[in-house]
Amino acid sequence: MGNLLKVLTCTDLEQEPNFFLDFENARPTDAEREVWEQVDVVLKDAKGILDELQAYKGAGQEIREAIQSPSDEALQEKAWAAVVPLVGRLKKFFQFSQRLEAALHSLLGALTSETYHDSTQHLEREQALAKQFAEILHFTLRFDELKMTNPAIQNDFSYYRRTLSRMRINNVPAEGENEVNNELANRISLFYADATPMLKALSDGTTKFVSEVRLTEGNIPSFPFRPFHDGDCVEYRSRFASEETVSFCLRVMVGVIILYDYVHPVGAFAKSSKIDMKGCIKVLKDQPPNSVEGLLNALRYTTKHLNDESTNKTIKSMLQ
């Protein structure tokens, strides 16, 4: 299992791999194509999901009016009519998280298979799949950023559940229940209750995959990861044609750190971690502040082990 990112964990500089992951031009080989096409179907819908989430305005005004005038049936009906289609959209986002988790499972299976004995070969020869893994992480961070800054999502869904419960008690037909029944509503509610719901879905899926591999192979898989050195950053940056690709790589780097921090028992910040956290943070801080503040905040507020006692004090101070 450790094949996935083992290539990035070498502590012997002379043994470090020397190859370039070409995110701009990676194309699937015949060997990659089956898995790549399965995942591509999901990723093609990802931009639409982000666009819909970014445009999500909520039904705050209608809900406030209904709460302020509980005896006004017209306002109650107006609020319900506004909320029901929004809940349908929230259901769509939740269901997409399940599709994304399944896609990640397929990618992990391919990138940690026995096709190649050397872990470098997986990344070097399956660059299209490695790029899709990166695209999933990129999407995940962006989705959770948008969700965290939109309180209307949880407010709308809470109102929907309260109103649905009241309708049942009063034996009032609930037209919107066909959209989201009670059992599904519970699952969706748990999903949005998390500060970073898409990351939670991916980390749960990754943990499940790791457990399955451990049971099958009888070993303890891991996700070792170490990003590039500062000098490498300059070298790789010069090989990208677009600044957007640089931003993409920085976001993916942060996504991998956060995922590792959730999945690994001791996390990404412990002294025993093989992640060069100081190097990662320095790379981020070397960028224009406005372009990476969201990524630094992701490390500050959405990781699991940053505030553990085992975390290096220098790393804590760098993120203050």
Side-chain angles (χ1 to χ4, degrees):
M1 173 60 194
N3 286 345
L4 177 58
L5 293 170
K6 186 184 295 182
V7 64
L8 301 177
T9 67
C10 301
T11 54
D12 184 349
L13 298 183
E14 295 182 359
Q15 298 299 318
E16 288 190 355
N18 183 20
F19 69 91
F20 178 63
L21 263 173
D22 191 354
F23 285 130
E24 291 179 329
N25 300 299
R27 298 292 183 271
T29 62
D30 289 342
E32 296 172 274
R33 191 166 302 280
E34 181 178 354
V35 172
W36 185 90
E37 288 179 348
Q38 293 173 8
V39 177
D40 187 57
V41 171
V42 178
L43 287 174
K44 280 181 176 176
D45 292 335
K47 185 181 185 303
I49 293 291
L50 290 179
D51 289 343
E52 285 190 55
L53 180 57
Q54 191 160 16
Y56 190 100
K57 301 302 181 186
Q61 181 65 30
E62 293 88 346
I63 290 172
R64 281 191 295 274
E65 291 174 353
I67 291 174
Q68 290 168 0
S69 304
S71 60
D72 189 324
E73 287 301 319
L75 290 177
Q76 307 307 310
E77 291 176 5
K78 180 182 177 183
W80 183 250
V83 164
V84 168
L86 293 174
V87 167
R89 198 175 304 173
L90 296 179
K91 172 188 173 183
K92 178 181 178 180
F93 300 161
F94 168 72
Q95 290 175 329
F96 185 78
S97 76
Q98 296 175 310
R99 294 176 60 203
L100 198 70
E101 184 179 337
L104 179 66
H105 193 282
S106 297
L107 278 177
L108 292 176
L111 290 169
T112 61
S113 70
E114 298 299 322
T115 304
Y116 303 112
H117 295 295
D118 186 274
S119 53
T120 303
Q121 293 178 335
H122 267 293
L123 293 180
E124 199 167 15
R125 300 185 185 181
E126 298 178 325
Q127 294 210 3
L129 297 185
K131 179 183 178 181
Q132 286 184 321
F133 178 77
E135 288 173 334
I136 287 176
L137 291 174
H138 185 273
F139 165 85
T140 297
L141 259 66
R142 184 59 182 148
F143 181 96
D144 287 344
E145 282 177 3
L146 292 171
K147 182 267 178 184
M148 282 191 290
T149 56
N150 195 339
I153 289 173
Q154 284 179 276
N155 291 340
D156 291 349
F157 202 76
S158 294
Y159 178 81
Y160 171 84
R161 296 192 74 193
R162 291 196 308 269
T163 304
L164 194 62
S165 177
R166 187 167 61 249
M167 287 178 168
R168 286 202 196 94
I169 292 172
N170 297 328
N171 293 318
V172 176
E175 182 180 335
E177 189 172 8
N178 293 329
E179 185 68 44
V180 178
N181 61 32
N182 191 52
E183 187 273 334
L184 181 57
N186 289 335
R187 293 166 60 199
I188 294 176
S189 181
L190 286 173
F191 175 75
Y192 288 111
D194 198 281
T196 52
M198 203 61 73
L199 176 64
K200 176 71 162 55
L202 259 59
S203 61
D204 286 350
T206 305
T207 301
K208 181 181 178 183
F209 178 84
V210 169
S211 299
E212 290 172 355
V213 173
R214 180 167 55 228
L215 289 172
T216 303
E217 299 181 1
N219 58 12
I220 300 177
S222 60
F223 280 86
F225 167 80
R226 189 174 72 73
F228 44 71
H229 298 292
D230 296 340
D232 294 335
C233 182
V234 176
E235 177 191 347
Y236 292 149
R237 192 184 192 113
S238 67
R239 297 175 70 175
F240 291 132
S242 168
E243 281 297 311
E244 288 185 6
T245 307
V246 176
S247 298
F248 174 86
C249 290
L250 292 173
R251 185 177 292 272
V252 170
M253 179 184 74
V254 171
V256 172
I257 291 170
I258 297 172
L259 184 62
Y260 182 102
D261 195 50
Y262 270 81
V263 172
H264 196 280
V266 299
F269 299 95
K271 291 180 181 179
S272 59
S273 168
K274 295 183 179 181
I275 299 181
D276 179 11
M277 285 304 308
K278 293 178 185 177
C280 285
I281 297 169
K282 185 177 185 305
V283 166
L284 290 172
K285 289 198 167 186
D286 285 345
Q287 313 306 313
N290 292 340
S291 67
V292 295
E293 190 60 27
L295 297 180
L296 288 168
N297 283 338
L299 292 177
R300 291 177 184 123
Y301 306 122
T302 69
T303 48
K304 187 176 181 181
H305 294 282
L306 174 61
N307 294 316
D308 289 359
E309 291 184 6
S310 59
T311 298
N312 187 297
K313 291 182 180 179
T314 303
I315 293 174
K316 287 184 177 180
S317 66
M318 289 177 75
L319 286 173
Q320 286 179 352

